Amino acid sequence: MRRSALAMLAVAAASPAFGQAYPNKPINLIVPFSAGGPTDVMARIVGERMSKELGQQLIIDNVTGAAGSIAMGKLARSAPDGYTIGIGHLGTNVVNGAVYKNLNYDLLNDLVPIALLPSNPLLVVTSNQVPAKDLKELVAYLNANASKISGGTAGMGSGSHIGALAFFAVTGTNYQLVPYRGTGPAVQDLIANQIQIMIDQSSNSLPHVRAGKLKVYAVTAKQRTAAAPDIPTTAEAGFPGIEVAIWHGLWAPKGTPRDIIDKLNAAAVATLKDPEIRRKLEDLGQDIPTPAQMQPDAFAAFQKAEFAKWKPIIDKAGVKIE
């Protein structure tokens, strides 16, 4: 029996998983938008610090197209072994579920929440060639020049698209929306005046506002952001009701073991406790969630609540993609 037990141990030791604590190789981090955009920036800031916590590199994989639905589909089809995870946000992991009629995966059931990440409101920004001095003047300008104005989004159902719809609903404007593979390239066209306006994540546009490359009119939040206290809220600027914040999160494929989810969550929590990481994110206008809000079960409940909140809004707007 002793020999039999030793033989069994020998076989187990020969298994690649035996004695190798997760993770023992690099982790693929799927990012649903192009390099340079707000989600990509978040992934790189958080991913680099999580790599130190986990002892393995998180490799960025930008999978663009269809407002992030292609990336989330790739994630849902990945092996549930903890070596492929994904970052997404309100648009990719809530709104797309209401907008796309024929997704071949279920955002609530085929992906497992790992951790809630920071959120940021949107900024109403334009190219420097737009003459309006405040939000009321901007709305009047847009209405007077509707056929000449176009605005950028990261695609149908993206956060920037939802922000534009909320802006339309409250201000009565209706300019042409131009979809991009991410708001990174969109904001470059905005700077060049190829498009004239965006309702864009503060983390993406605020650096360009500070550099004098874009004009800003308001922030879509209840209160002014600490990162830019001089920017009025949309309510202060004369248009209450435009309140949209884009939260981010991490997910894994369905079936990923809970101990792996917990280890990834612990790395994310430790990352957002790091003062340097917090400073970087807060400088971009991001609001940091508490460790309790970041827990997988709390995040899952939050995501379900966001579905319940946004689906009626999307349905009412009649936004559907076959």
Side-chain angles (χ1 to χ4, degrees):
M1 291 183 64
R2 182 181 177 84
R3 288 183 179 178
S4 176
L6 288 173
M8 291 176 65
L9 284 171
V11 170
S15 170
F18 185 82
Q20 295 183 3
Y22 171 85
N24 56 52
K25 62 180 181 179
I27 299 167
N28 194 43
L29 176 55
I30 294 176
V31 178
F33 299 106
S34 58
T39 303
D40 179 74
V41 170
M42 171 86 70
R44 293 175 190 276
I45 292 174
V46 173
E48 181 179 359
R49 183 62 176 79
M50 283 182 66
S51 295
K52 294 179 180 178
E53 290 293 321
L54 294 165
Q56 292 289 343
Q57 184 180 4
L58 268 67
I59 300 174
I60 302 296
D61 179 14
N62 295 98
V63 179
T64 63
S69 62
I70 293 174
M72 290 301 112
K74 179 177 179 179
L75 178 61
R77 295 187 297 272
S78 298
D81 57 6
Y83 290 101
T84 301
I85 62 175
I87 188 172
H89 59 40
L90 169 65
T92 61
N93 289 68
V94 170
V95 173
N96 281 355
V99 170
Y100 286 87
K101 293 184 65 176
N102 298 314
L103 287 180
N104 57 4
Y105 56 91
D106 187 303
L107 284 167
L108 288 178
N109 296 316
D110 292 335
L111 299 173
V112 180
I114 296 171
L116 179 65
L117 295 179
S119 64
N120 66 134
L122 307 175
L123 297 180
V124 181
V125 291
T126 71
S127 78
N128 284 332
Q129 295 189 37
V130 172
K133 297 182 180 64
D134 57 33
L135 189 58
K136 289 184 177 179
E137 284 191 15
L138 176 62
V139 169
Y141 177 79
L142 294 173
N143 284 327
N145 297 276
S147 62
K148 303 175 185 177
I149 300 297
S150 58
T153 76
M156 189 76 75
S158 66
S160 48
H161 178 236
I162 297 306
L165 293 181
F167 185 77
F168 289 168
V170 173
T171 63
T173 55
N174 191 17
Y175 50 81
Q176 179 184 0
L177 294 177
V178 181
Y180 287 78
R181 285 189 171 272
T183 48
V187 80
Q188 294 303 318
D189 273 3
L190 183 63
I191 292 170
N193 198 44
Q194 297 300 311
I195 55 176
Q196 288 71 48
I197 184 171
M198 285 181 65
I199 317 299
D200 189 28
Q201 291 186 55
S202 60
S203 58
N204 192 45
S205 292
L206 189 56
H208 301 293
V209 170
R210 288 170 172 162
K213 296 179 180 180
L214 293 176
K215 296 175 72 172
V216 63
Y217 296 85
V219 58
T220 65
K222 292 181 179 180
Q223 299 176 346
R224 296 192 182 200
T225 175
D230 55 322
I231 301 175
T233 67
T234 48
E236 290 174 331
F239 295 92
I242 312 174
E243 294 178 2
V244 184
I246 306 300
W247 50 264
H248 281 80
L250 294 172
W251 285 264
K254 177 183 178 181
T256 302
R258 181 60 189 237
D259 61 332
I260 289 178
I261 296 295
D262 288 342
K263 189 158 190 176
L264 289 165
N265 176 269
V269 170
T271 292
L272 294 191
K273 286 183 177 179
D274 185 316
E276 180 63 18
I277 297 299
R278 294 178 70 91
R279 183 192 63 76
K280 286 182 180 180
L281 294 170
E282 288 169 348
D283 282 350
L284 292 172
Q286 299 280 357
D287 295 323
I288 312 294
T290 67
Q293 291 171 324
M294 293 179 69
Q295 295 307 303
D297 293 340
F299 182 25
F302 173 74
Q303 186 184 5
K304 288 179 182 178
E306 287 289 271
F307 262 100
K309 170 186 173 180
W310 283 98
K311 191 176 187 308
I313 296 173
I314 300 302
D315 290 344
K316 185 177 180 179
V319 181
K320 289 291 181 185
I321 302 175
E322 299 292 334

